[in-house]
Amino acid sequence: MDQNKITQLFGIEYPIIQAGMIWTSGWRLASAVSNAGGLGLLGAGSMYPEVLKEHIQKCQAATSRPFGVNVPMLYPNIEEIMDIIVQSGVKIVFTSAGNPKTWTTFLKEHGITVVHVVSSVKFALKAQDAGVDAVVAEGFEAGGHNGRDETTTLVLIPFVKEQIKIPLIAAGGIATGRAMLAAMVLGADGVQVGSRFAASVEGSAHALFKDQIVQAKEGDTHLTLKELAPVRLLKNKFYRDVQQAYADGASKEDLKTLLGRARAKKGMFEGDLEEGELEIGQVAGLIHDILPASKIVTNLMEEYTQAIAEVKRL
């Protein structure tokens, strides 16, 4: 397809970004997406510093094309992570879950392209003021950690587009070429895709979790734990335990105790479908198979092109 703001910004073929998801986005997935013409991202949120360094090196060996790292800024080892990113020669960083002013200047001084993930116009404007090169506006449909305002992608993208001047990437509920076209019509310059790539051959999530994604139907996910950090989960035993805690009048501290540590690792990486946290988007109900990442990119572009042709006939 023709170059646009996002393909030019990252030096990629298609305006498709694979989300940097915890426990799912390792070097195999990121390099496969980049090799297919999109932008692969490593999910640093579930990696110790030394593990991230290893994944960066393996990704650099597996692709000569651009790839990036997603860094949640709540990360406890954030200074070490940022130093590793700079020393390893990473050229693209997506930041999330924090104030973009904290690290944007540092990263840009080292020649790194910076993108910040937001869930509202207010934070999109803060990111723009901080000097980021683009923003990802992520709607309420998205899996994992999410915005408190519950603004859907259909509404959020035009809201943000109206207010910012930098390139805009849409996320949340995008797993098909039709959804990609819809996001672009609403004003996005590119799309970030999470759940569809979670159910990929190269994704590092446990096979049992991938099977749960494929089996998911409409209504099988829910946004919960707003008092801590809003997260969209598949409904399993852990989710039902959380709902029961609410029914019993649980305090914020009670919820923290229930959540404990490593719930996401237990569910998505180790495959504990009962006690683990299974983070996935509403769009899981449209995902019916586990495919190679390259096939997912190809399908998205073919569906996108077909959808354009169909719109022209309307």
Side-chain angles (χ1 to χ4, degrees):
M1 66 184 290
D2 294 336
Q3 287 280 295
N4 75 353
K5 290 179 183 177
I6 291 300
T7 55
Q8 287 174 354
L9 180 64
F10 299 130
I12 57 178
E13 193 174 350
Y14 308 125
I16 297 170
I17 291 94
Q18 162 250 313
M21 303 165 283
I22 62 168
W23 301 116
T24 297
S25 305
W27 70 270
R28 287 183 179 85
L29 177 57
S31 62
V33 173
S34 290
N35 283 331
L39 180 71
L41 296 181
L42 296 172
S46 51
M47 298 180 185
Y48 290 116
E50 286 305 311
V51 174
L52 175 61
K53 185 187 290 186
E54 179 188 342
H55 277 261
I56 292 171
Q57 290 169 349
K58 287 183 174 178
C59 203
Q60 288 169 333
T63 183
S64 58
R65 297 190 177 192
F67 72 91
V69 178
N70 175 274
V71 184
M73 291 191 290
L74 299 175
Y75 205 113
N77 304 85
I78 188 76
E79 290 88 357
E80 193 176 350
I81 288 294
M82 292 302 189
D83 285 341
I84 286 170
I85 283 169
V86 169
Q87 290 162 13
S88 300
V90 172
K91 296 300 181 191
I92 300 166
V93 170
F94 281 49
T95 54
S96 59
N99 186 343
K101 283 187 177 176
T102 315
W103 287 100
T104 298
T105 301
F106 169 83
L107 292 168
K108 289 185 70 65
E109 283 173 352
H110 287 88
I112 294 171
T113 300
V114 182
V115 182
H116 192 63
V117 182
V118 302
S119 59
S120 68
V121 172
K122 179 175 79 171
F123 289 117
L125 288 169
K126 282 188 174 183
Q128 179 173 264
D129 290 344
V132 303
D133 296 286
V135 294
V136 175
E138 185 176 69
F140 165 72
E141 300 94 323
H145 292 288
N146 214 311
R148 295 179 187 278
D149 296 330
E150 301 192 7
T151 309
T152 62
T153 305
L154 188 72
V155 176
L156 181 62
I157 300 309
F159 274 174
V160 175
K161 182 67 175 181
E162 187 178 64
Q163 296 289 329
I164 67 169
K165 296 181 173 63
I166 57 178
L168 171 59
I169 300 162
I174 301 167
T176 66
R178 287 174 180 273
M180 179 178 168
L181 176 58
M184 305 287 258
V185 170
L186 289 171
D189 301 295
V191 294
Q192 178 172 282
V193 177
S195 298
R196 177 60 273 196
F197 284 116
S200 66
V201 172
E202 295 89 348
S204 51
H206 197 282
L208 291 175
F209 173 51
K210 293 181 189 181
D211 288 341
Q212 288 292 296
I213 299 170
V214 171
Q215 292 170 31
K217 303 287 189 294
E218 178 190 0
D220 282 354
T221 72
H222 187 242
L223 192 71
T224 188
L225 291 171
K226 279 191 169 186
E227 294 81 356
L228 306 181
V231 62
R232 181 172 295 283
L233 303 174
L234 276 172
K235 295 174 180 177
N236 65 346
K237 180 184 178 295
F238 169 65
Y239 165 82
R240 292 190 292 274
D241 289 346
V242 170
Q243 300 315 111
Q244 187 59 53
Y246 278 117
D248 294 341
S251 67
K252 189 174 178 179
E253 290 307 312
D254 293 334
L255 292 172
K256 278 186 183 176
T257 302
L258 176 59
L259 181 60
R261 292 181 60 81
R263 280 276 186 184
K265 181 183 182 184
K266 184 180 286 189
M268 294 184 283
F269 193 68
E270 296 174 354
D272 187 337
L273 304 182
E274 294 297 311
E275 298 296 339
E277 206 177 7
L278 305 177
E279 302 179 11
I280 204 70
Q282 282 184 335
V283 79
L286 279 179
I287 298 169
H288 308 306
D289 43 20
I290 297 163
L291 296 173
S294 61
K295 181 63 174 169
I296 292 171
V297 173
T298 299
N299 286 354
L300 283 166
M301 289 310 302
E302 286 180 352
E303 292 164 6
Y304 174 77
T305 304
Q306 184 181 349
I308 291 173
E310 290 174 4
V311 167
K312 285 178 179 176
R313 291 200 295 269
L314 291 178

